[in-house]
Amino acid sequence: MNKAINVSTEDLRRTDAAHHLHPFTDFAALAKEGSRVITKADGCWLWDSDGNRYLDGMAGLWCIQVGYGRREIADAVHRQMLELPYYNTFFKTTHPPAVALSEKLAELTPAGLDHAFFANSGSEANDTIMRMVRYYWARAGKPDKQVIIGRTYGYHGSTIAASAMGGMTAMHGQAGMIPGVHHVTPPHWFDFGRPMGMSPDEFGVHAARELEKAIDEIGEDKIGAFIAEPIQGSGGVLVPPATYWPEVKRILAERDILFIADEVICGFGRTGEWFGSQYYDLKPDFMTIAKGLSSGYLPISAVMVGERVLEHLVGEGGEFFHGFTYSGHPASCAAALANIDILEREKLVDRVKTVAGPALQKAWAALGDHPLVGEARMVGLFGALELVPDKSDLSKRFAPVGEVGTLCREFSFRNGLVMRATRDAMIISPPLVISEEEIGYLAEKARKSLDQTYEALKAQGKVA
Ligand code: PXG
């Protein structure tokens, strides 16, 4: 029996601080403060070790599409564990769950993306893509096409290649940068377009042309690929203006560059379509999928590889020296298949488009009238609220950046709702199964958290 089970919260916190290094954490600060201990979950709800209940407005980490406590997934994994708990997919070997999942993914993803390379995380999948891009161009006789263009505030993972392609400067500053990666302006009108006095539509074209400018300056003969999330998630649910993707599509169509759609957050129904690429009618050469692929029940990711890339990857023969011990892990594949079965059977993607999405969007838009909210945006079932000190003058933002977002996030936790803060934007991305009653709870607790944040800031003289 694990020693950590059935011990007090205080003991758990002490032991956690003594031995556990958490991701993206100030270790010293957390050791002083103590971790929040989550002990169980069901549907859209989490419980902590003190018995407090929270509505999980973040679907874990943007991944629990079908909600917690799905026996079908646990049973499928259990059966698979007894039948074949592990075998590798190296050395000309395969197994039924990997075969079934790759076939299913070929069916679900947009036409032309019919082959899956399995990994265990979004980061590994994106690292895989970087290698595939360079391999592709070397075999296509253009080995100089090495540069990958990403975007500021993009998030593609935490391994060195993935963090370099991402646009989080704090990560680059900690050895997360490698040569051959370039970043352009993201289509985030509120922070980038509005201060320049542009309308969202003008800015959408402008941001797209930043990509065009970068390609022309660096040289098309040096650029291997452009990587982008259809809607940037971790960056703050940055919903591009309507003009952005059509202009990017024009630019890519006129140039010989591969396009990578990172669908780790947008995929599996988040936008109301199976994939963000369908929402924006994009035609990627690679698609990164993870998170919602298994609803986070077990780690698994995949690179969906398009026809054009296959021509060199498969067509000419020769070994691609890349893979992971757990590529296509049988239990993870079984979890993903059971998860996809639930998504299909319960028509959860359609539900985002027709029921849950419209209800949450309406409740979210209503929060736009709050004195702290400068913008409320949402697509499908994920969105953000930009917190501002003075609604009548949106040029002002809080300083230091992130403090007010963190304050609001803490109020939200205390109110029984998990929201995430990105800089000073409050983010929501709940499980696709969220009920209308739970949407009402979410909106009520979000408003209460905004009110409490506003009162606290008023007391400090930080709001108008
Ligand atoms: N691409 C995207 C678009 C992501 O959002 C990754 C790749 C990397 O996936 P892995 O499985 O390697 O973590 C992600 C991950 C947050 C947060 O707080 C977001 C992610 C991971 C951890 C925290 O927003 N997204």
Side-chain angles (χ1 to χ4, degrees), residues 61-62 120-124 126 155-158 229 234 262 264-265 290-291 420:
L61 258 183
W62 321 78
N120 309 286
S121 66
S123 304
E124 284 180 3
N126 280 327
Y155 189 76
H156 303 299
S158 208
E229 302 154 74
S234 296
D262 184 335
V264 169
I265 284 179
K291 294 188 188 276
R420 187 194 181 294

Side-chain angles (χ1 to χ4, degrees), residues 249-320:
K249 279 165 62 178
R250 174 195 67 77
I251 292 161
L252 294 176
E254 290 172 5
R255 288 165 180 79
D256 193 18
I257 287 167
L258 298 171
F259 173 45
I260 307 158
D262 184 335
E263 296 263 9
V264 169
I265 284 179
C266 293
F268 297 92
R270 186 54 60 194
T271 64
E273 301 290 340
W274 274 90
F275 297 96
S277 293
Q278 290 154 336
Y279 186 81
Y280 287 116
D281 189 28
L282 309 176
K283 304 269 179 285
D285 296 295
F286 294 98
M287 197 185 249
T288 322
I289 55 178
K291 294 188 188 276
L293 167 57
S294 65
S295 279
Y297 276 67
L298 281 178
I300 183 164
S301 67
V303 175
M304 297 306 297
V305 180
E307 279 162 1
R308 174 179 176 187
V309 177
L310 278 180
E311 181 190 322
H312 287 301
L313 196 68
V314 176
E316 298 161 19
E319 184 171 346
F320 179 54

